[in-house]
């Protein structure tokens, strides 16, 4: 049960993910916990956020009354521009994604496998809304970091030997940040990089249904 | 489609589409969510009653706006989209088998439009390799990495929305309302653009044209609702 699991909360996971950012990087943040990462960008680090509907230099939500229907993010939320903002069309936007110009994407996931396979767009038999830009992002950006709860609502590990759901990308994930800690995809399985507050290595191992090397 | 540039301006969306609509045709539409969608032209297609339409469009609108209004009237046969999550009527028709759906990754859809408009019948991409998207598609290795072949799109008609146009069809878009509009415009055999303002030719900065008029055959000016899908705001700043 979620309330019994120790470790990081959503904001702490986002803060940990923000430590992945490097000065000068262009970064794409997914919907959900990844969006919170922008609240924790470390001092001295300047990153430019890309919104794949056609914008570099994404600013915060507008002040009430200053919303602009022509200015939204990829989650269709009203946002603002910054002094360095640039706009472009969707073909160019995915050109820079596919072309490897975006240093990192931070995304949510339904499942991640020990070889870096990612599933985050479709559950067979349930309503399928579509992959949006997720397949393009994981195939194109320099580094893919997943931020997600370690277990699903039934308490089962979302970090797996093999994904059971249809894939978004094959062997695309570099690092996984969950409420229990940080795992890297390496040869032969996953390597524990860091344990969340109050989580022991034995607990992480027992709650992870994948090879930990 | 050829014609003198001065003949591109039409008085209404219905007039701008006159003679272009046919049952069963393939239409590429600009817009992302409800942002930058050709709302006047979609309304005119609804009123024209054209049926069995296939749309290449990133999204399918909501129930009562965007392409959603053509789903209500059962004028759409097939959607080629990357994300259709916000439309209950779409889901109902899809689950009952009344509507065909082809999911394309968003960047693949944009590049299919751009390529089709550029005379490129196909391109290789890593997007979707190892997923259901790759099923049945040609795989090819380049420099040790596997790619799949995706086809360029050439649509019978493109419908797009821009901020400003001049009478020759040069277009300027505004902020993130540009999105799919340029690639959608490029891939049509005929492109009709609706704009908020037609300005005198010569008043747009030639260095600031986002889409040259060569891609745009007909233009109509109109009033746009420009609906906001997700209104998100922050608290007003305290005076410093």
């Amino acid at each position: 049960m979620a309330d019994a699991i120790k470790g990081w909360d959503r904001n702490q996971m986002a803060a940990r993910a923000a430590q992945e950012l490097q000065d000068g990087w262009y970064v794409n943040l997914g919907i959900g916990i990844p969006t919170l990462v922008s609240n924790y960008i470390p001092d001295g680090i300047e990153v430019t956020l890309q919104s794949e509907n056609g914008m570099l230099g994404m600013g915060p939500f507008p002040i009430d009354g200053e919303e602009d229907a022509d200015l939204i993010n990829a989650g269709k939320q009203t946002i603002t521009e910054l002094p360095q903002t640039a706009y472009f069309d969707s073909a160019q936007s995915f050109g820079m994604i596919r072309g490897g110009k975006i240093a990192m994407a931070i995304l949510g996931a339904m499942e991640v496998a020990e070889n870096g396979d990612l599933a985050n767009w479709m559950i067979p038999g349930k309503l399928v809304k579509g992959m949006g830009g997720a397949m393009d992002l994981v195939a194109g950006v320099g580094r893919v970091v997943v931020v997600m709860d370690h277990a699903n609502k039934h308490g089962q590990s979302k970090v797996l030997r093999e994904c059971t759901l249809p894939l978004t990308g094959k062997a695309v994930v570099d690092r996984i940040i969950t409420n229990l800690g940080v795992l890297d995809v390496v040869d032969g399985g996953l390597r524990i990089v860091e344990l969340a507050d109050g989580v022991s290595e034995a607990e992480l191992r027992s709650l992870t249904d994948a090879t930990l090397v | 489609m050829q014609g003198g540039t001065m003949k591109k301006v039409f008085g209404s969306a219905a007039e701008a589409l006159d003679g272009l609509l046919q049952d069963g045709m393939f239409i590429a539409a600009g817009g992302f969510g409800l942002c930058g969608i050709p709302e006047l032209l979609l309304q005119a297609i609804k009123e024209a009653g054209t049926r069995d339409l296939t749309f290449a469009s990133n999204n399918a609108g909501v129930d009562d706006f965007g392409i959603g209004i053509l789903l209500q009237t059962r004028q759409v046969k097939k959607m080629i989209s990357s994300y259709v999550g916000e439309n209950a009527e779409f889901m109902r028709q899809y689950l009952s088998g009344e509507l065909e759906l082809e999911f394309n990754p968003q960047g693949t859809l944009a590049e299919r439009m751009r390529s089709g408009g550029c005379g490129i019948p196909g391109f290789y991409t890593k997007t979707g390799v190892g997923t259901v998207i790759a099923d049945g598609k040609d795989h090819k290795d380049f420099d040790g990495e596997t790619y799949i072949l995706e086809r360029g799109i050439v649509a019978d008609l493109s419908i797009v929305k821009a901020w400003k146009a001049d009478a020759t069809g040069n277009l300027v878009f505004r902020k993130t309302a540009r999105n799919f509009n340029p690639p959608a415009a490029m891939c049509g055999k005929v492109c009709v653009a609706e704009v908020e303002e037609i300005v005198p030719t010569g008043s747009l900065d030639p260095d600031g044209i986002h889409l040259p008029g060569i891609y745009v055959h007909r233009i109509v000016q109109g009033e746009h609702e420009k609906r906001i899908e997700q209104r998100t705001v922050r608290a007003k700043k305290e005076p410093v």
Side-chain angles (χ1 to χ4, degrees):
Chain A
M1 293 296 103
D3 58 359
I5 293 176
K6 304 173 206 171
W8 292 322
D9 64 20
R10 287 165 57 88
N11 285 300
Q12 289 170 311
M13 289 159 67
R16 177 59 190 80
Q19 300 298 315
E20 302 292 314
L21 302 170
Q22 293 187 20
D23 194 35
W25 271 8
Y26 293 86
V27 175
N28 185 292
L29 302 178
I31 293 165
I33 299 175
T35 303
L36 300 174
V37 171
S38 63
N39 297 332
Y40 298 97
I41 297 170
D43 288 344
I45 300 284
E46 283 189 25
V47 296
T48 302
L49 300 180
Q50 197 237 22
S51 190
E52 66 265 27
N53 53 318
M55 179 184 199
L56 279 166
M58 183 168 40
F61 294 150
I63 291 167
D64 196 357
E66 295 183 3
E67 312 91 280
D68 185 338
D70 290 336
L71 183 44
I72 64 169
N73 64 18
K76 285 120 187 175
Q77 298 170 313
T78 46
I79 51 167
T80 54
E81 64 186 20
L82 299 171
Q84 71 269 32
T85 292
Y87 299 110
F88 34 85
D89 69 55
S90 298
Q92 183 166 19
S93 182
F94 283 91
M96 65 183 73
I97 289 168
R98 205 184 298 104
K101 315 300 180 187
I102 305 291
M104 185 166 76
I106 303 179
L107 305 166
M110 298 170 183
E111 295 178 345
V112 182
E114 63 191 38
N115 69 342
D117 286 359
L118 169 69
N120 73 353
W121 78 284
M122 158 177 207
I123 300 174
K126 297 212 172 169
L127 282 185
V128 182
K129 295 183 171 185
M131 74 289 286
M135 284 191 180
D136 310 273
L137 280 161
V138 300
V141 303
R143 183 169 169 79
V144 174
V145 174
V146 163
V147 182
M148 65 176 189
D149 286 325
H150 205 88
N152 63 23
K153 61 187 175 187
H154 306 295
Q156 299 158 325
S157 177
K158 293 167 66 175
V159 183
L160 300 168
R161 287 184 170 75
E162 282 183 38
C163 289
T164 64
L165 298 170
L167 296 184
T168 306
K170 185 108 188 119
V172 292
V173 176
D174 296 289
R175 176 164 280 190
I176 308 165
I177 298 171
T178 78
N179 52 314
L180 300 186
V182 180
L183 300 165
D184 269 356
V185 178
V186 297
D187 287 343
L190 300 170
R191 184 171 62 83
I192 300 172
V193 176
E194 196 174 323
L195 297 166
D197 302 333
V199 177
S200 70
E201 182 173 336
E203 284 172 314
L204 177 58
R205 286 181 177 276
S206 73
L207 293 168
T208 303
D209 189 14
T211 309
L212 294 172
V213 299
Chain B
M1 173 170 273
Q2 303 286 327
T5 55
M6 296 315 292
K7 295 173 186 155
K8 289 187 179 181
V9 178
F10 287 73
S12 70
E15 289 170 44
L17 289 169
D18 186 43
L20 300 180
L21 298 176
Q22 283 192 319
D23 289 350
M25 76 187 310
F26 180 17
I27 302 176
F32 180 93
L34 302 182
C35 181
I37 60 172
E39 53 182 271
L40 307 176
L41 293 163
L42 289 168
Q43 181 64 35
I45 292 170
K46 177 183 175 179
E47 286 160 13
T50 319
R51 305 190 71 81
D52 296 324
L53 298 170
T54 294
F55 271 96
S57 169
N58 189 56
N59 310 94
V62 294
D63 283 331
D64 63 342
F65 201 57
I67 290 175
I69 64 172
L70 301 178
L71 293 165
Q72 286 186 342
T73 50
R74 313 285 176 89
Q75 286 171 262
V76 182
K77 181 181 73 175
K78 179 178 177 180
M79 291 296 307
I80 303 172
S81 303
S82 86
Y83 190 85
V84 295
E86 320 305 339
N87 193 316
E89 177 63 14
F90 181 100
M91 282 299 173
R92 193 199 65 70
Q93 289 185 26
Y94 173 56
L95 293 173
S96 68
E98 297 166 57
L99 183 67
E100 289 176 60
L101 171 61
E102 177 187 321
F103 275 129
N104 279 194
Q106 194 174 136
T108 294
L109 180 58
E111 187 61 21
R112 290 185 69 195
M113 292 179 179
R114 196 201 69 85
S115 307
C118 293
I120 299 171
F123 59 93
Y124 284 95
T125 176
K126 272 194 284 188
T127 302
V129 170
T131 77
V132 294
I133 294 303
D135 289 350
K137 288 176 183 160
D138 182 40
H139 287 59
K140 192 172 171 72
D141 286 2
F142 295 90
D143 305 321
E145 297 232 44
T146 303
Y147 295 75
I148 55 173
L149 177 65
E150 295 282 3
R151 296 294 310 270
I153 284 174
V154 177
D156 299 317
L157 171 68
S158 296
I159 54 172
V160 300
K161 191 264 169 181
W163 182 34
K164 291 180 179 177
D166 66 19
T168 74
N170 290 322
L171 299 185
V172 175
F173 301 90
R174 188 171 174 275
K175 302 182 188 286
T176 57
R178 194 183 316 184
N179 57 57
F180 272 83
N181 283 296
M186 291 166 69
C187 79
K189 293 172 188 165
V190 185
C191 173
V192 183
E194 61 178 65
V195 301
E196 293 177 47
E197 187 181 4
I198 297 175
V199 300
T201 300
S203 66
L204 295 174
D205 178 358
D207 271 330
I209 304 292
H210 297 144
L211 189 74
I214 191 169
Y215 295 108
V216 181
H217 305 98
R218 297 185 180 187
I219 318 154
V220 60
Q221 175 181 310
E223 292 291 318
H224 289 81
E225 178 183 340
K226 298 213 289 186
R227 195 182 293 187
I228 292 176
E229 197 162 345
Q230 304 272 352
R231 188 178 301 273
T232 45
V233 297
R234 64 195 150 107
K236 201 169 183 84
K237 269 187 198 154
E238 296 299 318
V240 178

